[in-house]
Amino acid sequence: MNIFRLTGDLSHLAAIIILLLKIWKSRSCAGISGKSQVLFALVFTTRYLDLLTSFISLYNTTMKIIYIGCAYATVYLIYMKFKATYDGNHDTFRVEFLVVPVGGLAFLVNHDFSPLEILWTFSIYLESVAILPQLFMISKTGEAETITTHYLFFLGLYRALYLINWIWRFYFEGFFDMIAIVAGVVQTILYCDFFYLYVTKGEKVTETPLTSYFC
């Protein structure tokens, strides 16, 4: 494992922990798209089904379990424990416009036409667009808590580091996965759109110091 993949994984984990701490410490999920979190839970579920069939390493297995567990914990906090604070009126993105096309594309373009491989490909495609409901919610309300932008920043950093990881692996290992690379590029571009929204709507961001959620 190269340093770019490791730091990418840690950035991804940091984003998830920041979001969970934000919800738990504030006792609120205001400003967070529940639909995006459901999509991410679906991403991890369909991607890591190989936990049932193979073992790669302790690190690999541990990270997969953490991602799945945190994803469903986030969904539980939003739709169950702190449901009263969930802003469903602004979380209105039509996720079926993402899931259905992505599902069809996974059947048509994959590495191997087998159930696990199709589901893995589905997860790669879906992850590239799963953040759209969150971005749509920010653009619709015109505001976002600073802690939410930290979450999005670390997610964007994770994808950018993974792009470098793929370049590294191509040059030093001869590894090349067109599906993962194209999906990663699309996802990184979407996070660039987030930074545009953050700059243009920055004056409406609610300031909440990141360190306050770790105290």
Side-chain angles (χ1 to χ4, degrees):
M1 178 187 298
N2 62 68
I3 188 64
F4 302 111
R5 179 174 179 180
L6 177 60
T7 52
D9 287 344
L10 294 178
S11 294
H12 195 184
L13 184 59
I16 295 171
I17 292 174
I18 285 171
L19 187 65
L20 277 172
L21 286 176
K22 182 270 179 192
I23 297 173
W24 187 257
K25 295 283 284 188
S26 67
R27 318 296 287 182
S28 170
C29 55
I32 298 172
S33 169
K35 292 185 176 182
S36 270
Q37 297 310 311
V38 168
L39 292 180
F40 281 124
L42 182 58
V43 164
F44 295 136
T45 302
T46 53
R47 180 175 302 173
Y48 298 144
L49 288 173
D50 62 341
L51 283 170
L52 304 175
T53 61
S54 61
F55 177 81
I56 299 175
S57 68
L58 180 60
Y59 170 83
N60 183 276
T61 299
T62 301
M63 292 299 282
K64 288 177 179 179
I65 293 173
I66 290 174
Y67 287 149
I68 294 173
C70 287
Y72 280 98
T74 304
V75 171
Y76 166 76
L77 292 179
I78 293 173
Y79 287 102
M80 299 291 290
K81 190 169 184 63
F82 302 122
K83 182 179 180 180
T85 66
Y86 170 55
D87 187 9
N89 291 328
H90 288 115
D91 193 15
T92 56
F93 193 94
R94 300 285 297 276
V95 294
E96 60 269 27
F97 292 156
L98 299 178
V99 175
V100 174
V102 161
L105 185 61
F107 269 96
L108 296 173
V109 183
N110 51 67
H111 295 307
D112 179 56
F113 198 76
S114 63
L116 282 181
E117 187 63 31
I118 290 173
L119 289 172
W120 178 87
T121 306
F122 170 80
S123 77
I124 294 296
Y125 293 151
L126 184 60
E127 185 184 19
S128 70
V129 294
I131 199 63
L132 279 175
Q134 181 67 66
L135 296 178
F136 180 77
M137 190 174 184
I138 292 175
S139 65
K140 190 173 182 180
T141 61
E143 59 184 28
E145 287 192 18
T146 302
I147 199 71
T148 307
T149 66
H150 290 321
Y151 161 71
L152 292 172
F153 171 80
F154 277 103
L155 278 185
L157 181 61
Y158 143 65
R159 293 317 309 177
L161 287 168
Y162 254 66
L163 283 179
I164 301 174
N165 160 64
W166 291 323
I167 294 172
W168 175 278
R169 294 190 66 186
F170 174 73
Y171 279 104
F172 293 96
E173 302 175 16
F175 177 82
F176 183 77
D177 188 332
M178 180 60 75
I179 289 176
I181 291 174
V182 171
V185 169
V186 170
Q187 188 172 2
T188 304
I189 291 173
L190 290 178
Y191 284 105
C192 289
D193 180 64
F194 151 70
F195 285 113
Y196 166 77
L197 290 172
Y198 179 66
V199 170
T200 58
K201 300 180 183 299
E203 70 281 359
K204 296 184 178 180
V205 172
T206 302
E207 292 294 339
T208 306
L210 179 60
T211 53
S212 68
Y213 290 97
F214 293 89
C215 299

